[in-house]
Amino acid sequence: MVKRQAEESLENSVAQDSPVSKKARIHDVPEIHGHTNGFSTPPKALLPLSGEKWEENERNGNDILVAADLEEEELEDAASPADDVDPLDEQSAYSATSRQQAPTEGYSDLYLDTINRSVLDFDFEKLCSVTLSNINVYACLVCGKYYQGRGPKSHAYFHALEVGHHVYVNMQTKRVYVLPEGYEVKSKSLDDIKFVVDPKLSKEEVVQLDKRAKDAWDLSGKKYTPGFVGMNNIKENDYFNVIIQALSHIPPLRSFFMLEDLSNRSELVQRFSVLVRKIWNTRAFKTHVSPHELLQQISRQSNKRFDLLQQSDPVEFLSWFLNNMHLALGGSKTKPGTSIIQWVFQGKLKIESQKITAKADAGDRLRFEEAAEVLVDTTRYLMLTLDLPAAPLFQDELEKNIIPQIPLTSILSKYDGLKSQEQMNTRKRYRLLHPLPPYLLFHIKRFSKNKFVTEHNPTIVTFPTRSLDMSPYVEPNPSIHSPGEPIWYDLVANVTHEAVRTRDDSVEGEAERKVWRVQVRDRARDEWLEIQDLYVQKIVTETLFTKESYLMVWERRKEGKGKGNQKIHSFATEST
């Protein structure tokens, strides 16, 4: 067979198409921007950027400067490039990282079908799962994890490449992006996710919360009532849950934190505002909320006095929380009525005190004497403490199961201005002054401590849920309130205590665990619900007082408000 001659010689073919010849042509590359191919001076693109440049690049979606590690890595790469890496290819690869500004025509809904709403939980603190930074955090809408930034060197960018999760929402701006392309998605189908990230109701919707009964359903089709949802007990934070639930059902306070722009306030104020709005969320993905974000801020601000790992006293926490919220909202330490906290809860109290003299008889130590000097002082309060009578130490065989009871009006007589109490070497008596605040906080003191043990008083306090007349405990002032007219208060919330034995073989008072619950009123349906962490159930109104009440919130009826309350109620009206 005759062989056909080749059209081109082998040497010429190898010279044109062989990879070997391409590698040889590396040495023919001229200087680039004044830098030689030997990399004696690093290319400008590889030099570390200034702080302003980093921030600008991140805003444009180009880079993210998370830590000094990145700068160190850049410097190492610039100082010692690999011998077998083409500097031209290295520079072009770096500079070729461009972000897509908009989706390709016809592909605007790309990747949106991968979003998994059932795993999204925006209640936890917004920290990057890699760096634990809270700056510029994005949430992956496929797996629910948090990552910092979305630039080509961010953790969210690498997560998109490695795992194939492409849709992310900025937790601050609530804008949704597709990575690694980097363009923003403006589909209306994502509005429900943006609402859950930071739920905000209109003024008209907030006004209707207590007037119109409304049911809602979560993603699994489970029915719930906005405002009456469970709250996670992460470890031992049930003391915190009951206080937040009670405060979120005080209308003027709730309206203020749901409607006011608090973006310039402290983290404590902003996180409490978000939690209140999530409790009243009408489009929630689940039937409970988690207080983790607010708890973390409180733990830091209180130097771990109140945290989620150790149970604390609800009244102690409420006192700390109200005072810190007052200061965080710009309230004054000396001038009254400078924040919503004081406008809602603060009142005035008159205290009369007299020294106990040696001439007094032993049985008359609490009787005010005619000749002795009586000192009168006026102070302000956010909470009133009510003392229980001492529980009997011994009971006979027939009465061993009887729990002592006392009416609320009996322990309120402490403030009638007639009964006295002995404190050290002084007699004291108290009287409330007009105007009474729109909301009264009663702390029923059940625990007392000494050097050896903490004593618990199980006395039951009986009370009506409506029409508590506070006029007998207020000093008459005709210029503010007509004498003889009642001052009606209605119950809003009731925090109860229960002692539960941790072991079956333990004796009474030993190894007892405190369980806190809160009873709140559904105004729209005129019924009561009891909430213990995640459990929400209806409760018969006539049985509210059968529990050990520890903290009570009472609301003054607007029909009976005096002249001094005009300012306070006008503020509440403006908030709603």
Side-chain angles (χ1 to χ4, degrees), residues 350 352 431-434 471-477:
K350 184 178 76 172
E352 295 178 319
R431 195 77 184 267
L432 302 178
L433 299 177
H434 283 295
S471 59
Y473 317 106
V474 187
E475 187 170 287
N477 188 345

Side-chain angles (χ1 to χ4, degrees), residues 142-157:
V142 182
C143 64
K145 293 182 180 180
Y146 293 150
Y147 295 97
Q148 185 180 28
R150 60 181 178 87
K153 295 193 176 182
S154 67
H155 299 291
Y157 189 91

Side-chain angles (χ1 to χ4, degrees), residues 440-470:
L440 286 172
L441 299 175
F442 292 161
H443 167 215
I444 301 175
K445 191 174 181 180
R446 293 190 175 275
F447 303 99
S448 58
K449 297 181 180 179
N450 53 37
K451 294 181 179 180
F452 306 100
V453 69
T454 299
E455 297 181 356
H456 164 227
N457 192 329
T459 302
I460 296 297
V461 178
T462 60
F463 54 87
T465 58
R466 299 181 67 86
S467 303
L468 174 65
D469 186 12
M470 291 296 297

Side-chain angles (χ1 to χ4, degrees), residues 293-310:
E293 197 170 12
L294 178 59
L295 263 173
Q296 292 289 61
Q297 179 63 30
I298 290 174
S299 177
R300 288 191 292 266
Q301 197 160 329
S302 64
N303 295 322
K304 295 188 177 180
R305 178 184 174 188
F306 304 105
D307 59 13
L308 51 84
L309 301 177
Q310 184 177 1

Side-chain angles (χ1 to χ4, degrees), residues 281-517:
N281 186 5
T282 57
R283 290 179 274 171
F285 285 174
K286 56 188 185 303
T287 58
H288 64 274
V289 297
S290 176
H292 180 267
E293 197 170 12
L294 178 59
L295 263 173
Q296 292 289 61
Q297 179 63 30
I298 290 174
S299 177
R300 288 191 292 266
Q301 197 160 329
S302 64
N303 295 322
K304 295 188 177 180
R305 178 184 174 188
F306 304 105
D307 59 13
L308 51 84
L309 301 177
Q310 184 177 1
Q311 195 177 61
S312 300
D313 186 87
V315 170
E316 292 181 5
F317 167 69
L318 177 62
S319 178
W320 179 91
F321 186 69
L322 291 181
N323 282 282
N324 279 269
M325 287 292 291
H326 166 70
L327 297 177
L329 289 169
S332 171
K333 293 184 178 180
T334 56
K335 187 178 179 181
T338 53
S339 75
I340 181 66
I341 302 298
Q342 290 185 342
W343 287 330
V344 170
F345 298 115
Q346 192 177 69
K348 289 189 296 183
L349 178 69
K350 184 178 76 172
I351 304 175
E352 295 178 319
S353 58
Q354 186 183 67
K355 293 289 184 180
I356 297 177
T357 61
K359 298 179 181 179
D361 296 333
D364 296 332
R365 293 178 63 84
L366 296 182
R367 181 180 300 175
F368 271 65
E369 301 176 4
E370 298 291 338
E373 181 184 6
V374 177
L375 301 178
V376 180
D377 188 20
T378 301
T379 186
R380 297 184 180 273
Y381 64 87
L382 293 177
M383 187 186 313
L384 296 174
T385 302
L386 306 180
D387 302 314
L388 291 173
L393 296 177
F394 303 100
Q395 296 175 343
D396 56 31
E397 190 66 23
L398 297 177
E399 296 181 348
K400 63 179 181 179
N401 293 326
I402 297 178
I403 301 177
Q405 300 183 18
I406 188 173
L408 178 62
T409 53
S410 297
I411 57 178
L412 271 174
S413 61
K414 171 184 178 179
Y415 298 98
D416 61 4
L418 302 175
K419 293 186 178 181
S420 303
Q421 293 184 335
E422 181 179 351
Q423 296 182 2
M424 302 298 288
N425 61 341
T426 307
R427 307 180 188 92
K428 289 188 176 183
R429 60 188 180 190
Y430 307 92
R431 195 77 184 267
L432 302 178
L433 299 177
H434 283 295
L436 288 180
Y439 289 84
L440 286 172
L441 299 175
F442 292 161
H443 167 215
I444 301 175
K445 191 174 181 180
R446 293 190 175 275
F447 303 99
S448 58
K449 297 181 180 179
N450 53 37
K451 294 181 179 180
F452 306 100
V453 69
T454 299
E455 297 181 356
H456 164 227
N457 192 329
T459 302
I460 296 297
V461 178
T462 60
F463 54 87
T465 58
R466 299 181 67 86
S467 303
L468 174 65
D469 186 12
M470 291 296 297
S471 59
Y473 317 106
V474 187
E475 187 170 287
N477 188 345
S479 62
I480 296 179
H481 186 80
S482 301
E485 289 188 4
I487 305 176
W488 300 118
Y489 276 80
D490 299 325
L491 186 65
V492 174
N494 181 35
V495 175
T496 64
H497 163 265
E498 182 181 357
V500 178
R501 295 185 184 180
T502 56
R503 300 197 315 267
D504 294 336
D505 59 342
S506 61
V507 298
E508 185 176 358
E510 179 185 353
E512 287 184 343
R513 182 172 61 91
K514 296 177 181 177
V515 176
W516 301 103
R517 298 183 178 90

Side-chain angles (χ1 to χ4, degrees), residues 57-64 99 120 122 125-130 133-141 143-151 154-157 159 166-179 182-184 197:
N57 287 345
E58 173 55 25
R59 290 175 181 171
N60 297 331
N62 296 330
D63 282 287
I64 178 169
R99 311 308 300 277
L120 301 182
F122 304 119
E125 195 169 14
K126 310 303 185 294
L127 298 178
C128 175
S129 58
V130 180
S133 172
N134 62 350
I135 301 174
N136 198 23
V137 176
Y138 288 78
C140 175
L141 297 184
C143 64
K145 293 182 180 180
Y146 293 150
Y147 295 97
Q148 185 180 28
R150 60 181 178 87
S154 67
H155 299 291
Y157 189 91
H159 181 69
H166 299 284
V167 192
Y168 297 80
V169 59
N170 186 296
M171 301 307 297
Q172 185 69 27
T173 63
K174 296 180 288 295
R175 299 171 69 176
V176 180
Y177 296 90
V178 167
L179 297 181
Y183 61 82
E184 182 180 357
V197 172

